[in-house]
């Protein structure tokens, strides 16, 4: 059974930083995209970032230059370093893996974590 378990969410002030982690078990994803999406209250789930390797990494325009996605294939884990956080970054952040198709679409990903809350206060 494949599981993705996120950690690292919390409450932070505007301008602060958080690092999210997503550990996968049940299969390896070293040859698959692993990424992050987020969903704010009353809004649709939106793409944040995804990575296969350093040469195949993509970000939403809204987080480019502030967020960095990385992965450790030996640990089957993907990370999201979030700097210069803004109140509009407040959302539940979901880890996703096993993409097939449009990488920025939630429908492309087969496996999902349970989500971790990130709240940025102004």
């Amino acid at each position: 059974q494949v599981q993705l378990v996120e950690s690292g969410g919390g409450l932070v002030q505007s301008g602060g930083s958080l690092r999210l982690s997503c550990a996968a078990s049940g299969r390896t994803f070293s040859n698959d995209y692993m990424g992050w999406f987020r969903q704010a209250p009353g809004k649709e789930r939106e793409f944040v970032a995804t990575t296969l390797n350093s040469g195949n990494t993509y970000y939403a325009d809204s987080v480019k230059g502030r967020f960095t996605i990385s992965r450790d294939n030996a640990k089957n884990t993907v990370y999201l370093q979030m700097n210069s956080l803004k109140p509009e970054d407040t959302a539940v952040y979901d880890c996703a893996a096993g993409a097939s198709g449009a990488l920025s679409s939630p429908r492309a990903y087969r496996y999902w974590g349970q989500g971790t809350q990130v709240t940025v206060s102004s």
Side-chain angles (χ1 to χ4, degrees):
Q1 181 182 358
V2 175
Q3 282 192 311
L4 302 179
V5 179
E6 300 104 332
S7 60
L11 173 64
V12 65
Q13 288 189 332
S14 181
S17 298
L18 281 174
R19 188 193 194 207
L20 306 183
S21 300
C22 171
S25 60
R27 60 160 281 187
T28 60
F29 289 99
S30 56
N31 295 317
D32 291 281
Y33 276 91
M34 297 184 77
W36 294 91
F37 288 76
R38 67 186 182 186
Q39 188 167 20
K43 295 187 177 181
E44 291 188 356
R45 180 179 277 168
E46 67 172 351
F47 169 73
V48 175
T50 192
T51 184
L52 176 63
N53 49 48
S54 59
N56 292 279
T57 297
Y58 307 97
Y59 295 93
D61 287 343
S62 59
V63 307
K64 211 172 283 185
R66 299 188 298 123
F67 291 10
T68 302
I69 189 171
S70 61
R71 61 192 295 168
D72 184 337
N73 288 333
K75 295 182 178 179
N76 217 19
T77 298
V78 65
Y79 305 96
L80 186 68
Q81 177 66 44
M82 305 185 294
N83 298 329
S84 302
L85 281 161
K86 305 174 182 180
E88 51 263 46
D89 294 318
T90 295
V92 174
Y93 283 70
D94 294 304
C95 171
S100 176
L103 297 174
S104 62
S105 170
R107 290 187 294 274
Y109 294 79
R110 181 176 180 184
Y111 303 103
W112 290 86
Q114 82 287 355
T116 185
Q117 177 69 46
V118 171
T119 303
V120 184
S121 63
S122 57

